[in-house]
Amino acid sequence: MRKVKDMMDNSCAARRLMEMERRYLCLFEYHPDAVFEMNREGLLVNVNSHCSLLSGFSREELLVMNISDLIVGEQEHARADEHFQRTLQGNPEQFEMAARHKNGNIVYVQCTTIPITIDGSVEVVFGIVKDITEQKETKHQMNLMTNFDLLTGLPNRKLFLQRLEQLHDGDASQLHAVLTINLDRFEFINESLGYAKGELLLQQFSSLLRQLFSPEAVIARLQGDEFAVLLPDIASEQAAATAAQSLIAKLLSPIYMEGMEVVVSASIGITLAGRNREFEPGRLLRESNIAMRHVRKLHQERRYAIYNEAMDSQFTNRLQLESGLRKAILLDQMYLRYQPIINVVTGKIEAVEALLRWDHPELGFVSPADFIPIAEETGDIIAIGNWVLRSALRQVCQWHREGLKLRVGVNVSLVQLKEPDFPQLVGAILSESGLKAGWLDIEVTESVLIEDQEMTKSRLAALRKLGVHIAIDDFGTGYTSLNYLKTFPIDYLKIDRSFVKDINHDLNNNIILSSLINLAHYLDIQVIGEGIETQEHIDFLREKGCDEGQGYLISAAVDEQEIRRLYLKHNGQENA
C-alpha cells in the first residue's frame, strides 16, 4: 500500500510539475513583451516570439547570439554589463538601453533582469524587454519643444539661461561674454519677401553663427530675429569685441538662399561675467540686450557695444517713455506747434508744418527725436499719427474760417504708410474735417523712398489721387537716387538745413543746391528750403529760384495764436 501511495504521490507531483512548466511556457511565449533567458556567459538560451518581433532576428538567429550583439555603442555595452553583473550576483535590475534592430535601426528598450538561482548559485538570467522607442521619441520631442527652437534647432531662452547657470556654478576666476544679436531690417525682409523666406533667412543665419563660433560657444535663438551667444572662458573683453567684429565682417557678404542674395546687418550687445564679478544669468541677458538696443538706437557704425551702467539709465528712461506714450494723448500731454513756411519772393506765409510736442509729467519736455522712434517700434505711432492729422486739419479749418488761407504739412512715418488702408484713412479724416485735400501736404522723409519702393509708390499715388500734396522732407540727408524724383509722385522737395547753412561758405554746396532747385523745377516740383537762419540764406534761395522757405529767421514752431499774429504781420491782412 505504501508503494502505491508513493507512486500516486509521485504521479501527482509530476502532473503538478508538468502543469507548472506548461504555465511557465505559456507565460514565457505569450507574454506581451519580449522575454529571454541567458546563461552566465550572456548567450541566449531561450527567447519568445516577441523577441523576434522586437529585434527583427529569427528565433534561430537569436539562439546563437550573445546578448551583447544586440547592444549599441561602447557606453551602452559597459552600462548594460554593469547591470547584468549585478543580476548574476543575485540582484534584480531594471534599466534602459539602446538595442540594435536587424535593419540597422536603433530600438530603445526597458530591460528587467531577474536572477534564477539553483542550489544557491545564479545559473540563468530571466529577462523582460519592453519597447519604449515611442515613449523615448515623445520625450525627445517634448525636450526639443521645451528647450530648443524648432525652426533653427538652436537652444531657446530657457536652455540658454540654464547654460549660464551652469557657468555660474563653475570657476569664478574665469571671464565669460554674452552677446545679444538682432538682425536689422528683418521685419522689412519678412514682409517684402514673405514669411517663408524670412524663416529661411533665420535658418541660414543660424548656420552662419554655428560656423563662426567655436564648438564651446552656446548659441541660442531667444525670439523672432534675436539671438544670443555665450562665449565661455575668454581671455579678455577685446576677445568678445573681436568675435562681434568677425560676425559683422561676415555679414558684409550676402546670404544666399534659393538662388537669391540677401544682405543683412546685425546690432550686437555685449556684457561680461566672471572674474569675481556678480554673476546672475537673467541680468546678463538684460545687460547685453540693453547694449544691443543702444546700438540700434544710435545707429552706430561699428554695430556693436559693450554694456556699461550709463546705458542702464537710458534703458530705464526708454521704458518710462514707452509706458507713457500710450497715455500721453489721453492725458493731453501731447500738443501741436506750427512752423510758418513763407514764399521767399513775397515774404507771405503760405503754409505751416505741424510739429508734435510732448510734455512728460516727470521727464518734462521730451524731444520728438527721442520718442518718435520708440513710437514707431511699439506701433503707437499709428494712433499718435491719426491724432496729429485730425488735430492739424481741425486747426487749419478754423484758420480758414478766420481768413488765414494756409496749407498744412503733416509728417507721416513709414509705419503709418505701410498700413494698407492709410490713403482711405486720410480721405476719411479730410471728409470729417471738411478741409479740401489741396490744403494738406503729406510729408515723408527721404529714407522712406528706399525702404519698399513699390509699396511707397502705390501709397503716395493713392494719396495724390485724393488731391493731397506729397512733400519729401530733409532731402539730401540719405542715399536717395535723383532718379526717384521722377519715379515718385512728388509736389514739394524740402531741402535739408545742412545744405542751407553752408550757403556762401561752400562753393560746391551752392552748386549742388542750385542744381537741385533747377532739377526739381524741370520735373514740376516746388522747392522749400529748410533751416533759414540768416538774411543771406533767404537772399540766396530767392536768387536761385527757390519757392518757399522755413526756419528760425522767420519763426520757430509756435502755437496757433502766434501763427495768427505772424500771418497778419507777413500777409498784411489786418482783418483776417
mmCIF file with all atom_site columns, all heavy atoms in Angstrom, residues 301-323:
data_model
loop_
_atom_site.group_PDB
_atom_site.id
_atom_site.type_symbol
_atom_site.label_atom_id
_atom_site.label_alt_id
_atom_site.label_comp_id
_atom_site.label_asym_id
_atom_site.label_entity_id
_atom_site.label_seq_id
_atom_site.pdbx_PDB_ins_code
_atom_site.Cartn_x
_atom_site.Cartn_y
_atom_site.Cartn_z
_atom_site.occupancy
_atom_site.B_iso_or_equiv
_atom_site.pdbx_formal_charge
_atom_site.auth_seq_id
_atom_site.auth_comp_id
_atom_site.auth_asym_id
_atom_site.auth_atom_id
_atom_site.pdbx_PDB_model_num
ATOM 1   N N   . GLU A 1 301 ? 28.029 103.029 -36.277 1.00 0.00 ? 301 GLU A N   1
ATOM 2   C CA  . GLU A 1 301 ? 28.644 102.471 -37.487 1.00 0.00 ? 301 GLU A CA  1
ATOM 3   C C   . GLU A 1 301 ? 29.303 101.131 -37.218 1.00 0.00 ? 301 GLU A C   1
ATOM 4   O O   . GLU A 1 301 ? 29.268 100.229 -38.046 1.00 0.00 ? 301 GLU A O   1
ATOM 5   C CB  . GLU A 1 301 ? 29.673 103.467 -38.030 1.00 0.00 ? 301 GLU A CB  1
ATOM 6   C CG  . GLU A 1 301 ? 30.200 103.096 -39.413 1.00 0.00 ? 301 GLU A CG  1
ATOM 7   C CD  . GLU A 1 301 ? 31.092 104.171 -39.986 1.00 0.00 ? 301 GLU A CD  1
ATOM 8   O OE1 . GLU A 1 301 ? 30.997 105.330 -39.554 1.00 0.00 ? 301 GLU A OE1 1
ATOM 9   O OE2 . GLU A 1 301 ? 31.885 103.846 -40.874 1.00 0.00 ? 301 GLU A OE2 1
ATOM 10  N N   . ARG A 1 302 ? 29.900 100.969 -36.023 1.00 0.00 ? 302 ARG A N   1
ATOM 11  C CA  . ARG A 1 302 ? 30.613 99.719  -35.771 1.00 0.00 ? 302 ARG A CA  1
ATOM 12  C C   . ARG A 1 302 ? 29.666 98.583  -35.404 1.00 0.00 ? 302 ARG A C   1
ATOM 13  O O   . ARG A 1 302 ? 30.074 97.433  -35.309 1.00 0.00 ? 302 ARG A O   1
ATOM 14  C CB  . ARG A 1 302 ? 31.678 99.905  -34.699 1.00 0.00 ? 302 ARG A CB  1
ATOM 15  C CG  . ARG A 1 302 ? 31.147 100.141 -33.297 1.00 0.00 ? 302 ARG A CG  1
ATOM 16  C CD  . ARG A 1 302 ? 32.289 100.264 -32.312 1.00 0.00 ? 302 ARG A CD  1
ATOM 17  N NE  . ARG A 1 302 ? 31.813 100.283 -30.945 1.00 0.00 ? 302 ARG A NE  1
ATOM 18  C CZ  . ARG A 1 302 ? 32.614 100.282 -29.893 1.00 0.00 ? 302 ARG A CZ  1
ATOM 19  N NH1 . ARG A 1 302 ? 33.918 100.251 -30.055 1.00 0.00 ? 302 ARG A NH1 1
ATOM 20  N NH2 . ARG A 1 302 ? 32.115 100.301 -28.661 1.00 0.00 ? 302 ARG A NH2 1
ATOM 21  N N   . ARG A 1 303 ? 28.386 98.874  -35.125 1.00 0.00 ? 303 ARG A N   1
ATOM 22  C CA  . ARG A 1 303 ? 27.305 97.896  -34.960 1.00 0.00 ? 303 ARG A CA  1
ATOM 23  C C   . ARG A 1 303 ? 27.409 97.028  -33.703 1.00 0.00 ? 303 ARG A C   1
ATOM 24  O O   . ARG A 1 303 ? 26.703 96.041  -33.582 1.00 0.00 ? 303 ARG A O   1
ATOM 25  C CB  . ARG A 1 303 ? 27.183 96.986  -36.186 1.00 0.00 ? 303 ARG A CB  1
ATOM 26  C CG  . ARG A 1 303 ? 27.000 97.678  -37.518 1.00 0.00 ? 303 ARG A CG  1
ATOM 27  C CD  . ARG A 1 303 ? 25.931 98.732  -37.520 1.00 0.00 ? 303 ARG A CD  1
ATOM 28  N NE  . ARG A 1 303 ? 24.635 98.239  -37.131 1.00 0.00 ? 303 ARG A NE  1
ATOM 29  C CZ  . ARG A 1 303 ? 23.684 98.995  -36.607 1.00 0.00 ? 303 ARG A CZ  1
ATOM 30  N NH1 . ARG A 1 303 ? 23.883 100.270 -36.373 1.00 0.00 ? 303 ARG A NH1 1
ATOM 31  N NH2 . ARG A 1 303 ? 22.514 98.476  -36.284 1.00 0.00 ? 303 ARG A NH2 1
ATOM 32  N N   . TYR A 1 304 ? 28.289 97.337  -32.773 1.00 0.00 ? 304 TYR A N   1
ATOM 33  C CA  . TYR A 1 304 ? 28.288 96.593  -31.514 1.00 0.00 ? 304 TYR A CA  1
ATOM 34  C C   . TYR A 1 304 ? 28.641 97.552  -30.373 1.00 0.00 ? 304 TYR A C   1
ATOM 35  O O   . TYR A 1 304 ? 29.231 98.617  -30.588 1.00 0.00 ? 304 TYR A O   1
ATOM 36  C CB  . TYR A 1 304 ? 29.264 95.412  -31.541 1.00 0.00 ? 304 TYR A CB  1
ATOM 37  C CG  . TYR A 1 304 ? 30.729 95.792  -31.424 1.00 0.00 ? 304 TYR A CG  1
ATOM 38  C CD1 . TYR A 1 304 ? 31.344 95.867  -30.177 1.00 0.00 ? 304 TYR A CD1 1
ATOM 39  C CD2 . TYR A 1 304 ? 31.491 96.077  -32.548 1.00 0.00 ? 304 TYR A CD2 1
ATOM 40  C CE1 . TYR A 1 304 ? 32.675 96.210  -30.057 1.00 0.00 ? 304 TYR A CE1 1
ATOM 41  C CE2 . TYR A 1 304 ? 32.828 96.430  -32.449 1.00 0.00 ? 304 TYR A CE2 1
ATOM 42  C CZ  . TYR A 1 304 ? 33.415 96.500  -31.198 1.00 0.00 ? 304 TYR A CZ  1
ATOM 43  O OH  . TYR A 1 304 ? 34.731 96.868  -31.074 1.00 0.00 ? 304 TYR A OH  1
ATOM 44  N N   . ALA A 1 305 ? 28.245 97.177  -29.168 1.00 0.00 ? 305 ALA A N   1
ATOM 45  C CA  . ALA A 1 305 ? 28.576 97.981  -27.985 1.00 0.00 ? 305 ALA A CA  1
ATOM 46  C C   . ALA A 1 305 ? 28.725 97.066  -26.789 1.00 0.00 ? 305 ALA A C   1
ATOM 47  O O   . ALA A 1 305 ? 28.052 96.035  -26.693 1.00 0.00 ? 305 ALA A O   1
ATOM 48  C CB  . ALA A 1 305 ? 27.489 99.027  -27.721 1.00 0.00 ? 305 ALA A CB  1
ATOM 49  N N   . ILE A 1 306 ? 29.609 97.440  -25.877 1.00 0.00 ? 306 ILE A N   1
ATOM 50  C CA  . ILE A 1 306 ? 29.800 96.703  -24.630 1.00 0.00 ? 306 ILE A CA  1
ATOM 51  C C   . ILE A 1 306 ? 29.052 97.441  -23.524 1.00 0.00 ? 306 ILE A C   1
ATOM 52  O O   . ILE A 1 306 ? 29.173 98.659  -23.393 1.00 0.00 ? 306 ILE A O   1
ATOM 53  C CB  . ILE A 1 306 ? 31.293 96.570  -24.297 1.00 0.00 ? 306 ILE A CB  1
ATOM 54  C CG1 . ILE A 1 306 ? 31.982 95.749  -25.408 1.00 0.00 ? 306 ILE A CG1 1
ATOM 55  C CG2 . ILE A 1 306 ? 31.494 95.904  -22.939 1.00 0.00 ? 306 ILE A CG2 1
ATOM 56  C CD1 . ILE A 1 306 ? 33.491 95.668  -25.282 1.00 0.00 ? 306 ILE A CD1 1
ATOM 57  N N   . TYR A 1 307 ? 28.282 96.710  -22.782 1.00 0.00 ? 307 TYR A N   1
ATOM 58  C CA  . TYR A 1 307 ? 27.397 97.297  -21.764 1.00 0.00 ? 307 TYR A CA  1
ATOM 59  C C   . TYR A 1 307 ? 28.171 98.109  -20.739 1.00 0.00 ? 307 TYR A C   1
ATOM 60  O O   . TYR A 1 307 ? 29.264 97.725  -20.297 1.00 0.00 ? 307 TYR A O   1
ATOM 61  C CB  . TYR A 1 307 ? 26.622 96.182  -21.051 1.00 0.00 ? 307 TYR A CB  1
ATOM 62  C CG  . TYR A 1 307 ? 25.871 96.659  -19.838 1.00 0.00 ? 307 TYR A CG  1
ATOM 63  C CD1 . TYR A 1 307 ? 24.622 97.262  -19.980 1.00 0.00 ? 307 TYR A CD1 1
ATOM 64  C CD2 . TYR A 1 307 ? 26.424 96.530  -18.556 1.00 0.00 ? 307 TYR A CD2 1
ATOM 65  C CE1 . TYR A 1 307 ? 23.931 97.721  -18.855 1.00 0.00 ? 307 TYR A CE1 1
ATOM 66  C CE2 . TYR A 1 307 ? 25.740 96.984  -17.438 1.00 0.00 ? 307 TYR A CE2 1
ATOM 67  C CZ  . TYR A 1 307 ? 24.495 97.581  -17.600 1.00 0.00 ? 307 TYR A CZ  1
ATOM 68  O OH  . TYR A 1 307 ? 23.824 98.034  -16.496 1.00 0.00 ? 307 TYR A OH  1
ATOM 69  N N   . ASN A 1 308 ? 27.600 99.253  -20.354 1.00 0.00 ? 308 ASN A N   1
ATOM 70  C CA  . ASN A 1 308 ? 28.075 99.992  -19.193 1.00 0.00 ? 308 ASN A CA  1
ATOM 71  C C   . ASN A 1 308 ? 26.859 100.525 -18.433 1.00 0.00 ? 308 ASN A C   1
ATOM 72  O O   . ASN A 1 308 ? 25.743 100.544 -18.953 1.00 0.00 ? 308 ASN A O   1
ATOM 73  C CB  . ASN A 1 308 ? 29.031 101.128 -19.590 1.00 0.00 ? 308 ASN A CB  1
ATOM 74  C CG  . ASN A 1 308 ? 28.367 102.137 -20.512 1.00 0.00 ? 308 ASN A CG  1
ATOM 75  O OD1 . ASN A 1 308 ? 27.372 102.754 -20.160 1.00 0.00 ? 308 ASN A OD1 1
ATOM 76  N ND2 . ASN A 1 308 ? 28.917 102.294 -21.719 1.00 0.00 ? 308 ASN A ND2 1
ATOM 77  N N   . GLU A 1 309 ? 27.056 100.963 -17.219 1.00 0.00 ? 309 GLU A N   1
ATOM 78  C CA  . GLU A 1 309 ? 25.939 101.340 -16.352 1.00 0.00 ? 309 GLU A CA  1
ATOM 79  C C   . GLU A 1 309 ? 25.170 102.553 -16.869 1.00 0.00 ? 309 GLU A C   1
ATOM 80  O O   . GLU A 1 309 ? 23.983 102.712 -16.571 1.00 0.00 ? 309 GLU A O   1
ATOM 81  C CB  . GLU A 1 309 ? 26.440 101.587 -14.929 1.00 0.00 ? 309 GLU A CB  1
ATOM 82  C CG  . GLU A 1 309 ? 26.873 100.299 -14.226 1.00 0.00 ? 309 GLU A CG  1
ATOM 83  C CD  . GLU A 1 309 ? 27.272 100.538 -12.780 1.00 0.00 ? 309 GLU A CD  1
ATOM 84  O OE1 . GLU A 1 309 ? 27.246 101.711 -12.349 1.00 0.00 ? 309 GLU A OE1 1
ATOM 85  O OE2 . GLU A 1 309 ? 27.605 99.556  -12.092 1.00 0.00 ? 309 GLU A OE2 1
ATOM 86  N N   . ALA A 1 310 ? 25.838 103.415 -17.628 1.00 0.00 ? 310 ALA A N   1
ATOM 87  C CA  . ALA A 1 310 ? 25.151 104.596 -18.181 1.00 0.00 ? 310 ALA A CA  1
ATOM 88  C C   . ALA A 1 310 ? 24.016 104.170 -19.106 1.00 0.00 ? 310 ALA A C   1
ATOM 89  O O   . ALA A 1 310 ? 22.981 104.835 -19.190 1.00 0.00 ? 310 ALA A O   1
ATOM 90  C CB  . ALA A 1 310 ? 26.147 105.475 -18.927 1.00 0.00 ? 310 ALA A CB  1
ATOM 91  N N   . MET A 1 311 ? 24.211 103.032 -19.795 1.00 0.00 ? 311 MET A N   1
ATOM 92  C CA  . MET A 1 311 ? 23.170 102.527 -20.699 1.00 0.00 ? 311 MET A CA  1
ATOM 93  C C   . MET A 1 311 ? 21.923 102.129 -19.907 1.00 0.00 ? 311 MET A C   1
ATOM 94  O O   . MET A 1 311 ? 20.816 102.183 -20.425 1.00 0.00 ? 311 MET A O   1
ATOM 95  C CB  . MET A 1 311 ? 23.683 101.311 -21.477 1.00 0.00 ? 311 MET A CB  1
ATOM 96  C CG  . MET A 1 311 ? 24.780 101.612 -22.465 1.00 0.00 ? 311 MET A CG  1
ATOM 97  S SD  . MET A 1 311 ? 25.320 100.078 -23.267 1.00 0.00 ? 311 MET A SD  1
ATOM 98  C CE  . MET A 1 311 ? 26.693 100.678 -24.256 1.00 0.00 ? 311 MET A CE  1
ATOM 99  N N   . ASP A 1 312 ? 22.141 101.705 -18.662 1.00 0.00 ? 312 ASP A N   1
ATOM 100 C CA  . ASP A 1 312 ? 21.028 101.244 -17.834 1.00 0.00 ? 312 ASP A CA  1
ATOM 101 C C   . ASP A 1 312 ? 20.012 102.354 -17.611 1.00 0.00 ? 312 ASP A C   1
ATOM 102 O O   . ASP A 1 312 ? 18.803 102.153 -17.741 1.00 0.00 ? 312 ASP A O   1
ATOM 103 C CB  . ASP A 1 312 ? 21.560 100.757 -16.485 1.00 0.00 ? 312 ASP A CB  1
ATOM 104 C CG  . ASP A 1 312 ? 20.901 99.460  -16.064 1.00 0.00 ? 312 ASP A CG  1
ATOM 105 O OD1 . ASP A 1 312 ? 19.847 99.122  -16.625 1.00 0.00 ? 312 ASP A OD1 1
ATOM 106 O OD2 . ASP A 1 312 ? 21.448 98.791  -15.182 1.00 0.00 ? 312 ASP A OD2 1
ATOM 107 N N   . SER A 1 313 ? 20.512 103.545 -17.268 1.00 0.00 ? 313 SER A N   1
ATOM 108 C CA  . SER A 1 313 ? 19.607 104.664 -17.027 1.00 0.00 ? 313 SER A CA  1
ATOM 109 C C   . SER A 1 313 ? 18.898 105.070 -18.308 1.00 0.00 ? 313 SER A C   1
ATOM 110 O O   . SER A 1 313 ? 17.718 105.432 -18.293 1.00 0.00 ? 313 SER A O   1
ATOM 111 C CB  . SER A 1 313 ? 20.375 105.852 -16.443 1.00 0.00 ? 313 SER A CB  1
ATOM 112 O OG  . SER A 1 313 ? 21.390 106.273 -17.344 1.00 0.00 ? 313 SER A OG  1
ATOM 113 N N   . GLN A 1 314 ? 19.620 104.964 -19.436 1.00 0.00 ? 314 GLN A N   1
ATOM 114 C CA  . GLN A 1 314 ? 18.995 105.270 -20.728 1.00 0.00 ? 314 GLN A CA  1
ATOM 115 C C   . GLN A 1 314 ? 17.870 104.283 -21.019 1.00 0.00 ? 314 GLN A C   1
ATOM 116 O O   . GLN A 1 314 ? 16.807 104.662 -21.524 1.00 0.00 ? 314 GLN A O   1
ATOM 117 C CB  . GLN A 1 314 ? 20.043 105.233 -21.847 1.00 0.00 ? 314 GLN A CB  1
ATOM 118 C CG  . GLN A 1 314 ? 21.086 106.323 -21.753 1.00 0.00 ? 314 GLN A CG  1
ATOM 119 C CD  . GLN A 1 314 ? 22.230 106.104 -22.728 1.00 0.00 ? 314 GLN A CD  1
ATOM 120 O OE1 . GLN A 1 314 ? 22.200 105.198 -23.550 1.00 0.00 ? 314 GLN A OE1 1
ATOM 121 N NE2 . GLN A 1 314 ? 23.256 106.927 -22.619 1.00 0.00 ? 314 GLN A NE2 1
ATOM 122 N N   . PHE A 1 315 ? 18.118 103.014 -20.702 1.00 0.00 ? 315 PHE A N   1
ATOM 123 C CA  . PHE A 1 315 ? 17.114 101.979 -20.957 1.00 0.00 ? 315 PHE A CA  1
ATOM 124 C C   . PHE A 1 315 ? 15.899 102.186 -20.055 1.00 0.00 ? 315 PHE A C   1
ATOM 125 O O   . PHE A 1 315 ? 14.752 102.052 -20.495 1.00 0.00 ? 315 PHE A O   1
ATOM 126 C CB  . PHE A 1 315 ? 17.731 100.597 -20.707 1.00 0.00 ? 315 PHE A CB  1
ATOM 127 C CG  . PHE A 1 315 ? 16.812 99.454  -21.052 1.00 0.00 ? 315 PHE A CG  1
ATOM 128 C CD1 . PHE A 1 315 ? 16.529 99.158  -22.371 1.00 0.00 ? 315 PHE A CD1 1
ATOM 129 C CD2 . PHE A 1 315 ? 16.238 98.680  -20.054 1.00 0.00 ? 315 PHE A CD2 1
ATOM 130 C CE1 . PHE A 1 315 ? 15.682 98.101  -22.695 1.00 0.00 ? 315 PHE A CE1 1
ATOM 131 C CE2 . PHE A 1 315 ? 15.389 97.627  -20.370 1.00 0.00 ? 315 PHE A CE2 1
ATOM 132 C CZ  . PHE A 1 315 ? 15.125 97.338  -21.704 1.00 0.00 ? 315 PHE A CZ  1
ATOM 133 N N   . THR A 1 316 ? 16.158 102.520 -18.791 1.00 0.00 ? 316 THR A N   1
ATOM 134 C CA  . THR A 1 316 ? 15.058 102.791 -17.867 1.00 0.00 ? 316 THR A CA  1
ATOM 135 C C   . THR A 1 316 ? 14.230 103.975 -18.360 1.00 0.00 ? 316 THR A C   1
ATOM 136 O O   . THR A 1 316 ? 12.993 103.964 -18.303 1.00 0.00 ? 316 THR A O   1
ATOM 137 C CB  . THR A 1 316 ? 15.616 103.089 -16.459 1.00 0.00 ? 316 THR A CB  1
ATOM 138 O OG1 . THR A 1 316 ? 16.398 101.981 -16.027 1.00 0.00 ? 316 THR A OG1 1
ATOM 139 C CG2 . THR A 1 316 ? 14.500 103.337 -15.467 1.00 0.00 ? 316 THR A CG2 1
ATOM 140 N N   . ASN A 1 317 ? 14.934 104.983 -18.860 1.00 0.00 ? 317 ASN A N   1
ATOM 141 C CA  . ASN A 1 317 ? 14.257 106.156 -19.403 1.00 0.00 ? 317 ASN A CA  1
ATOM 142 C C   . ASN A 1 317 ? 13.396 105.769 -20.602 1.00 0.00 ? 317 ASN A C   1
ATOM 143 O O   . ASN A 1 317 ? 12.265 106.240 -20.764 1.00 0.00 ? 317 ASN A O   1
ATOM 144 C CB  . ASN A 1 317 ? 15.293 107.197 -19.815 1.00 0.00 ? 317 ASN A CB  1
ATOM 145 C CG  . ASN A 1 317 ? 14.650 108.477 -20.302 1.00 0.00 ? 317 ASN A CG  1
ATOM 146 O OD1 . ASN A 1 317 ? 13.907 109.120 -19.581 1.00 0.00 ? 317 ASN A OD1 1
ATOM 147 N ND2 . ASN A 1 317 ? 14.934 108.844 -21.546 1.00 0.00 ? 317 ASN A ND2 1
ATOM 148 N N   . ARG A 1 318 ? 13.933 104.874 -21.428 1.00 0.00 ? 318 ARG A N   1
ATOM 149 C CA  . ARG A 1 318 ? 13.180 104.420 -22.599 1.00 0.00 ? 318 ARG A CA  1
ATOM 150 C C   . ARG A 1 318 ? 11.901 103.694 -22.171 1.00 0.00 ? 318 ARG A C   1
ATOM 151 O O   . ARG A 1 318 ? 10.833 103.909 -22.746 1.00 0.00 ? 318 ARG A O   1
ATOM 152 C CB  . ARG A 1 318 ? 14.049 103.497 -23.456 1.00 0.00 ? 318 ARG A CB  1
ATOM 153 C CG  . ARG A 1 318 ? 13.308 102.959 -24.679 1.00 0.00 ? 318 ARG A CG  1
ATOM 154 C CD  . ARG A 1 318 ? 14.054 101.818 -25.326 1.00 0.00 ? 318 ARG A CD  1
ATOM 155 N NE  . ARG A 1 318 ? 13.158 101.117 -26.235 1.00 0.00 ? 318 ARG A NE  1
ATOM 156 C CZ  . ARG A 1 318 ? 13.030 101.411 -27.525 1.00 0.00 ? 318 ARG A CZ  1
ATOM 157 N NH1 . ARG A 1 318 ? 13.698 102.396 -28.059 1.00 0.00 ? 318 ARG A NH1 1
ATOM 158 N NH2 . ARG A 1 318 ? 12.193 100.718 -28.292 1.00 0.00 ? 318 ARG A NH2 1
ATOM 159 N N   . LEU A 1 319 ? 12.025 102.823 -21.170 1.00 0.00 ? 319 LEU A N   1
ATOM 160 C CA  . LEU A 1 319 ? 10.836 102.107 -20.684 1.00 0.00 ? 319 LEU A CA  1
ATOM 161 C C   . LEU A 1 319 ? 9.792  103.080 -20.154 1.00 0.00 ? 319 LEU A C   1
ATOM 162 O O   . LEU A 1 319 ? 8.590  102.890 -20.339 1.00 0.00 ? 319 LEU A O   1
ATOM 163 C CB  . LEU A 1 319 ? 11.239 101.120 -19.582 1.00 0.00 ? 319 LEU A CB  1
ATOM 164 C CG  . LEU A 1 319 ? 12.039 99.896  -20.016 1.00 0.00 ? 319 LEU A CG  1
ATOM 165 C CD1 . LEU A 1 319 ? 12.407 99.046  -18.804 1.00 0.00 ? 319 LEU A CD1 1
ATOM 166 C CD2 . LEU A 1 319 ? 11.253 99.054  -21.025 1.00 0.00 ? 319 LEU A CD2 1
ATOM 167 N N   . GLN A 1 320 ? 10.277 104.138 -19.510 1.00 0.00 ? 320 GLN A N   1
ATOM 168 C CA  . GLN A 1 320 ? 9.380  105.156 -18.988 1.00 0.00 ? 320 GLN A CA  1
ATOM 169 C C   . GLN A 1 320 ? 8.647  105.858 -20.136 1.00 0.00 ? 320 GLN A C   1
ATOM 170 O O   . GLN A 1 320 ? 7.443  106.125 -20.063 1.00 0.00 ? 320 GLN A O   1
ATOM 171 C CB  . GLN A 1 320 ? 10.181 106.171 -18.170 1.00 0.00 ? 320 GLN A CB  1
ATOM 172 C CG  . GLN A 1 320 ? 9.336  107.028 -17.246 1.00 0.00 ? 320 GLN A CG  1
ATOM 173 C CD  . GLN A 1 320 ? 10.192 107.873 -16.324 1.00 0.00 ? 320 GLN A CD  1
ATOM 174 O OE1 . GLN A 1 320 ? 11.422 107.891 -16.428 1.00 0.00 ? 320 GLN A OE1 1
ATOM 175 N NE2 . GLN A 1 320 ? 9.559  108.582 -15.409 1.00 0.00 ? 320 GLN A NE2 1
ATOM 176 N N   . LEU A 1 321 ? 9.386  106.119 -21.221 1.00 0.00 ? 321 LEU A N   1
ATOM 177 C CA  . LEU A 1 321 ? 8.777  106.750 -22.392 1.00 0.00 ? 321 LEU A CA  1
ATOM 178 C C   . LEU A 1 321 ? 7.771  105.810 -23.048 1.00 0.00 ? 321 LEU A C   1
ATOM 179 O O   . LEU A 1 321 ? 6.686  106.238 -23.452 1.00 0.00 ? 321 LEU A O   1
ATOM 180 C CB  . LEU A 1 321 ? 9.859  107.152 -23.404 1.00 0.00 ? 321 LEU A CB  1
ATOM 181 C CG  . LEU A 1 321 ? 10.793 108.296 -22.993 1.00 0.00 ? 321 LEU A CG  1
ATOM 182 C CD1 . LEU A 1 321 ? 11.813 108.563 -24.093 1.00 0.00 ? 321 LEU A CD1 1
ATOM 183 C CD2 . LEU A 1 321 ? 10.017 109.560 -22.684 1.00 0.00 ? 321 LEU A CD2 1
ATOM 184 N N   . GLU A 1 322 ? 8.144  104.532 -23.152 1.00 0.00 ? 322 GLU A N   1
ATOM 185 C CA  . GLU A 1 322 ? 7.247  103.548 -23.772 1.00 0.00 ? 322 GLU A CA  1
ATOM 186 C C   . GLU A 1 322 ? 5.912  103.483 -23.030 1.00 0.00 ? 322 GLU A C   1
ATOM 187 O O   . GLU A 1 322 ? 4.846  103.496 -23.653 1.00 0.00 ? 322 GLU A O   1
ATOM 188 C CB  . GLU A 1 322 ? 7.904  102.159 -23.773 1.00 0.00 ? 322 GLU A CB  1
ATOM 189 C CG  . GLU A 1 322 ? 8.856  101.929 -24.922 1.00 0.00 ? 322 GLU A CG  1
ATOM 190 C CD  . GLU A 1 322 ? 9.321  100.487 -24.981 1.00 0.00 ? 322 GLU A CD  1
ATOM 191 O OE1 . GLU A 1 322 ? 8.586  99.596  -24.520 1.00 0.00 ? 322 GLU A OE1 1
ATOM 192 O OE2 . GLU A 1 322 ? 10.428 100.245 -25.505 1.00 0.00 ? 322 GLU A OE2 1
ATOM 193 N N   . SER A 1 323 ? 5.982  103.385 -21.708 1.00 0.00 ? 323 SER A N   1
ATOM 194 C CA  . SER A 1 323 ? 4.740  103.267 -20.942 1.00 0.00 ? 323 SER A CA  1
ATOM 195 C C   . SER A 1 323 ? 3.956  104.571 -20.987 1.00 0.00 ? 323 SER A C   1
ATOM 196 O O   . SER A 1 323 ? 2.721  104.570 -20.988 1.00 0.00 ? 323 SER A O   1
ATOM 197 C CB  . SER A 1 323 ? 5.042  102.878 -19.491 1.00 0.00 ? 323 SER A CB  1
ATOM 198 O OG  . SER A 1 323 ? 5.821  103.885 -18.867 1.00 0.00 ? 323 SER A OG  1
#
